[in-house]
Amino acid sequence: MARRHGWGNPISADGILDLALEDSEQADGEEFVEQLASEPYITYQRGQGYWIKNDPDSQAQVAFLLTRNCSYTELQIEATLSRFKAAGGFDAYDESVLEEVDDW
């Protein structure tokens, strides 16, 4: 989703729903966006939208969740999350970074 959106740019709630869910699932998507927005690795700026925080630990949390729950490969993740890769990527972190976040 981040790659299709244009990494590094904020995205609106409607934009998240358009990229992440099929049209038939979007009615239930508002609850998804509210839950996602409460995660510690997501930030929101009024008038601009949501985005993944740019620090390596936040990106590590997202990286492990994406590999665990969405079948993304480590190569795909490290190519997308630049701060995570710059901090050593999967070799520098273990799944203990997930202690602060809920599983999807």
Side-chain angles (χ1 to χ4, degrees):
M1 185 179 87
R3 283 176 170 247
R4 291 193 343 231
H5 165 61
W7 176 248
N9 299 319
I11 186 169
S12 67
D14 289 340
I16 292 171
L17 296 176
D18 287 343
L19 289 174
L21 301 172
E22 298 294 327
D23 290 343
S24 61
E25 300 172 319
Q26 288 189 10
D28 299 324
E30 290 180 28
E31 182 179 320
F32 167 75
V33 171
E34 288 177 20
Q35 178 184 351
L36 183 63
S38 69
E39 296 294 338
Y41 49 82
I42 298 292
T43 191
Y44 173 76
Q45 186 167 3
R46 187 180 176 110
Q48 292 191 22
Y50 302 89
W51 64 91
I52 298 170
K53 291 180 180 176
N54 206 22
D55 64 276
D57 290 345
S58 292
Q59 291 196 4
Q61 290 171 338
V62 172
F64 279 96
L65 288 168
L66 288 171
T67 57
R68 177 187 286 176
N69 300 305
C70 301
S71 302
Y72 282 93
T73 67
E74 291 183 6
L75 180 62
Q76 289 172 306
I77 300 299
E78 289 181 347
T80 302
L81 300 173
S82 60
R83 298 277 187 219
F84 174 62
K85 181 179 180 182
F90 288 94
D91 292 336
Y93 285 87
D94 59 38
E95 289 202 27
S96 66
V97 300
L98 295 176
E99 293 172 0
E100 298 176 25
V101 298
D102 294 327
D103 205 7
W104 293 339

